[in-house]
Structure formats: structure tokens, C-alpha cells
Amino acid sequence: MIRTLQGRLVISYIGLTVALHMLVFHVLGLAMRGSLEQGIQRFMEQIVEADANFEQAYLNYSTGDFDTDQFYFRLFSPGGTVALQEGPDLGEAEALGLALPPSHRRADTLEVTPGTTLRVVSRRFEDGGVIQAGVLLDENSDLLERFAYHWRLGVVSLAVLAAGLSWWMVRRAMAGVKEVTRTAEEILQGSLEARVPERQQVVEVQELTGTINRMLDKIDWLITDLKYVTVNVAHDLRSPLTRIRGAAEVALRGEPSPEVLHGLAARAIEETTRLEAVVETMVEIARLDSGAAGQLPRELLDPGALMLEISELYSEAAEAKDLSLRIANAEAPWIRVERTMLQRTVANLLDNAVKFTPRGGSIRLGTRKDVGHVVLFVEDSGPGIPVDEVHRVFERFYRADTSRQSSGHGLGLSYVRSAVSAQGGTVEILCPGGGGTRVEVRFSI
């Protein structure tokens, strides 16, 4: 049994080619036989209709020699005796002719022997004479045998040609699949940078290799991101755990006063709360990236009202830094989103704006309608983000140089990207050359 796809396709192609040509042979054979019989019928009718009476027929055919065993001819005198004959004695055919009334004609097909038939046309003249002309037809006639012989040679030649052509075509088509296999073997051996060549001869295989390469890029990115996150988690957890351990060691050393113990406990709770926030944010980002957010209930809400609501929550923090906080809500359609995630998304953006905008600066947030989209934006007059770092600020635990001295763990924008993507939106950071940052969140209408 052939188990390779290449072998099966070649065999199938050969079988289909042979079957198609056998069907054509059968149809052509039937057409040839039908055409031959029609020609014979017209020939015999011309013979029996050529003369008007017995005497003319006798004069025309008395010196003729048909010189073939397949031809049947009879000419009967008005008295019913055989005047001329050619071919085998077939009493049944002769009786059909003699039974005709004057000026009548008939055509008959008689089985002489198994596989052999007689096509005969009979006519009785006005003077009582009878003429018959017929042809013995063999199912295995020489003409059909020669036709079948040459056809078989043609089928064999076409089968060989089809085998070579199909093998070549399938081999070229399967070359891409073999490239995928080789790449997979390289990856299994530890070479995660291996990729499948995308310039393939077959469009479907090229699309497959492109998809596989994108999948490999995604896997490579996930592994790199996992390593990066692991290192940063270890780094960010080490300091709070060290402080908690230090507080515990101080509490165990000597006999501290209740006030000291109270302070150490408060410090431990503060550090624990910070750790919990980091862990919960990481878990939430992982949940969003896994697609679980698609099952959360969504509702229609007014984006302008939501922006106003969140700005009121940060008004005191903005006043404390002498920041100008303005709302710029243009008329925009309602959107269907998960309220809590969108609230937290905007809150993270506004929290970053308040944190990184210098005293006396300004913050503007609001909504607007774009072509086919609703845009929610937050912009500030802070130091901005370096152009070469814009594409990295969404990475987990990444902190730009301008934010190294501020509190935080570098998870806010990572959450924003995951939450917006989970709801079918996009997020973009715009950094003008003169400083400041503008973040836009887009949802399709």
C-alpha cells in the first residue's frame, strides 16, 4: 500500500487519465460503429434502388464480382429462382425478400452466428423480381481491432507521460512541505531562529509557510517575553520580600516597643499589598491575552460620560501638582465594551499622565469620532517618550529612562494593550517632537 501523499497523488492522476481515455475510447467506438452501420445502410439502399426492374439489375450485376466474404447479394427472377448470388446461403434472409409484395422495400438485421449479424435491404420490382444487398458485421471487425490496438498504445504512452508529469508537479508542490518538515526538525534540535523559506512555487504552500513563520515569530516572542518577565518578576519581588524579611528580623531582635511593632506590621502590610497588586495585574494580563475576556458581558456606554467620570476621580491629584486637567469630548457614538476594563484602561492612562507631567503642566482627555471609529485619548505636556522606546513601553515590566525614578512596576501600559485588544480595539502612542505624550484608544463603530 502506498502511504506517501506524493505516491498516492501520482497513482490517482494516472488512474484518472487512463479512466478518462477509456471512456473516450468507448464513446468513440460507439460513434464509429454507428457511423459505419449508417454508411453500410446507405450503400445497400443505393444498390437496391439503382435499377427499375429485374432485367436492368441482371445486366448490371451479372458481370460483377464483389470479392468479399462479408457481402451478401441475391437477385431473384420474377418466377422466384435465384439468378445471381454472392455470399453465404441464408434461407431466412431469402425468405424475407421473397415475401415482399410488389414495389415494396424493407431493411432487416439478422443474427447469423453469435457475434455476427447481417444487415440486409430487400426490394421487389414491379415485374416481380427481387433484389437483396447486405453486409455481414462482426463485432470484432478488423477496423475496430486496429482502432483498439492503436488506442491502447496511446493510453500506455499517455499513462507514462502522466506519471512523469504528475510526479514532477507533485514533487514541486510537496517541496514546500518538506521545507516545513526540515524547519521543524531544526526547531526540535533547539534552533528557534529557523524559518521556512516563503518563496514557494505553489500559492497554497506559500500561504502555509507564511502562517507557520508568523506562528514561529509569535512563539519566539512569547519565549523571549517569558524570559524577560521572569527576570523582571524576580527583580521586582526581591526588594519587597527583602523589606518584609528585614521588618520581621527587626521584630524578632530584642524587645521592640508596641509602637515599633506597629510600624513594622504596617510596613509589611504595605509591601504585601504592593506584591498583591503586581501579581493580580500579571494574572489579569495573562487572562486577557488568553482570550477569556471575550466571554465577559459587554454593555453600551457613552464614552464621553466615562471620560468625565474618571477625570473627576483624578481632579484632586491633578490639583495637588498644580496641573490643568481639561475635558475635550466631541460628539461620539456609544460603544459596546466591558465597563470595568475600559474604566481601568483610562484610569491607567490618566494615572501615568498625572505621574509624569511636571508641576504646572497640562493634561487633556476626551473623545472624538473618526472614520469608522470612536477614539478615546489622553495627552499630557510631560517629557514624552523617546522615539526608540515607544514600541517597548507596552512590554511587561519595561520602564523608560524618564520613569526610572517614579514608583510603579511597568505593568500599566501592558494592561492597557491587553484590555483594549481583548475588546477588539487598538492603542497607539503619539509623541510629538517637542515633548508630551498622546495615547489614543480606538474602537470600531
Side-chain angles (χ1 to χ4, degrees):
M1 179 180 178
I2 300 175
R3 301 186 62 181
T4 64
L5 178 60
Q6 182 173 345
R8 291 182 180 181
L9 288 175
V10 171
I11 294 299
S12 300
Y13 193 80
I14 295 173
L16 180 61
T17 302
V18 173
L20 179 61
H21 283 80
M22 292 302 294
L23 176 62
V24 173
F25 168 73
H26 179 70
V27 173
L28 288 180
L30 292 178
M32 287 182 61
R33 184 180 294 276
S35 178
L36 178 62
E37 292 183 356
Q38 290 179 4
I40 291 173
Q41 181 75 18
R42 287 194 296 270
F43 172 68
M44 294 185 300
E45 290 176 351
Q46 290 174 359
I47 291 177
V48 299
E49 296 291 343
D51 302 302
N53 53 50
F54 169 76
E55 291 183 1
Q56 290 180 356
Y58 185 81
L59 291 175
N60 287 335
Y61 297 112
S62 60
T63 58
D65 184 7
F66 297 100
D67 193 23
T68 175
D69 294 336
Q70 292 183 278
F71 191 74
Y72 172 84
F73 180 81
R74 293 290 186 276
L75 180 62
F76 296 93
S77 66
T81 60
V82 177
L84 297 173
Q85 68 174 11
E86 190 75 33
D89 293 329
L90 299 173
E92 183 179 359
E94 295 176 358
L96 292 174
L98 294 174
L100 281 172
S103 301
H104 280 70
R105 180 175 63 85
R106 65 180 295 170
D108 298 284
T109 300
L110 303 176
E111 184 176 4
V112 179
T113 59
T116 302
T117 58
L118 172 67
R119 297 292 299 273
V120 59
V121 176
S122 306
R123 177 193 173 194
R124 181 179 285 275
F125 300 117
E126 288 289 344
D127 59 8
V130 176
I131 186 172
Q132 290 184 306
V135 175
L136 291 167
L137 297 177
D138 191 346
E139 291 183 358
N140 300 317
S141 64
D142 292 340
L143 177 62
L144 293 178
E145 282 294 328
R146 288 194 299 271
F147 174 70
Y149 172 75
H150 291 292
W151 188 266
R152 284 193 292 268
L153 287 180
V155 169
V156 172
S157 302
L158 286 173
V160 173
L161 179 62
L165 181 62
S166 61
W167 178 84
W168 179 76
M169 292 176 60
V170 172
R171 186 172 180 270
R172 284 171 62 89
M174 296 300 293
V177 178
K178 292 182 179 179
E179 290 284 355
V180 173
T181 304
R182 282 195 292 268
T183 303
E185 290 292 342
E186 293 180 17
I187 293 174
L188 286 175
Q189 294 173 7
S191 178
L192 297 179
E193 297 80 16
R195 295 295 182 270
V196 185
E198 294 193 20
R199 296 188 63 182
Q200 302 294 333
Q201 299 293 332
V202 181
V203 174
E204 290 79 4
V205 177
Q206 184 169 339
E207 293 175 350
L208 173 64
T209 57
T211 302
I212 290 176
N213 285 339
R214 290 193 295 273
M215 178 189 68
L216 292 175
D217 291 339
K218 179 68 172 179
I219 293 173
D220 188 30
W221 178 85
L222 289 174
I223 293 176
T224 303
D225 185 63
L226 178 61
K227 293 178 181 177
Y228 178 79
V229 169
T230 303
V231 172
N232 282 277
V233 167
H235 176 76
D236 278 24
L237 296 186
R238 182 184 298 135
S239 296
L241 290 175
T242 300
R243 289 192 288 268
I244 293 174
R245 179 175 178 176
E249 290 177 349
V250 170
L252 292 175
R253 208 181 298 130
E255 295 182 0
S257 64
E259 292 78 9
V260 174
L261 290 175
H262 184 273
L264 293 174
R267 184 177 178 183
I269 291 174
E270 180 183 353
E271 297 294 342
T272 303
T273 302
R274 188 177 303 171
L275 289 175
E276 288 179 348
V278 173
V279 173
E280 287 177 0
T281 303
M282 290 178 59
V283 171
E284 181 67 11
I285 292 174
R287 186 179 68 89
L288 292 173
D289 290 343
S290 68
Q295 303 174 358
L296 295 176
R298 301 186 183 186
E299 59 180 293
L300 278 173
L301 57 83
D302 182 358
L306 182 136
M307 299 295 278
L308 180 61
E309 173 188 333
I310 296 176
S311 67
E312 292 175 352
L313 295 176
Y314 281 84
S315 60
E316 292 186 5
E319 290 178 3
K321 290 187 64 175
D322 194 22
L323 300 176
S324 170
L325 183 61
R326 292 179 298 161
I327 297 292
N329 281 334
E331 184 177 353
W334 288 32
I335 53 178
R336 184 175 295 277
V337 291
E338 205 282 320
R339 175 183 289 272
T340 303
M341 279 197 296
L342 188 57
Q343 287 176 333
R344 185 173 176 182
T345 295
V346 178
N348 278 343
L349 297 177
L350 191 52
D351 183 73
N352 282 345
V354 172
K355 185 186 301 182
F356 298 114
T357 303
R359 182 175 295 276
S362 63
I363 299 174
R364 194 167 70 100
L365 71 159
T367 60
R368 65 182 176 87
K369 181 181 178 182
D370 202 354
V371 180
H373 294 85
V374 171
V375 180
L376 288 71
F377 65 89
V378 176
E379 65 178 11
D380 60 61
S381 61
I385 303 172
V387 177
D388 57 343
E389 295 187 26
V390 170
H391 69 286
R392 298 196 60 192
V393 295
F394 291 111
E395 297 177 6
R396 278 170 279 188
F397 295 102
Y398 181 80
R399 303 180 70 190
D401 292 336
T402 55
S403 64
R404 295 290 182 183
Q405 306 303 320
S406 302
S407 61
H409 297 280
L411 292 174
L413 288 178
S414 296
Y415 175 84
V416 169
R417 182 188 62 180
S418 298
V420 172
S421 298
Q423 299 183 84
T426 60
V427 58
E428 182 181 9
I429 295 181
L430 306 175
C431 296
T437 302
R438 179 185 176 95
V439 184
E440 292 189 351
V441 176
R442 293 172 174 266
F443 291 102
S444 298
I445 299 176

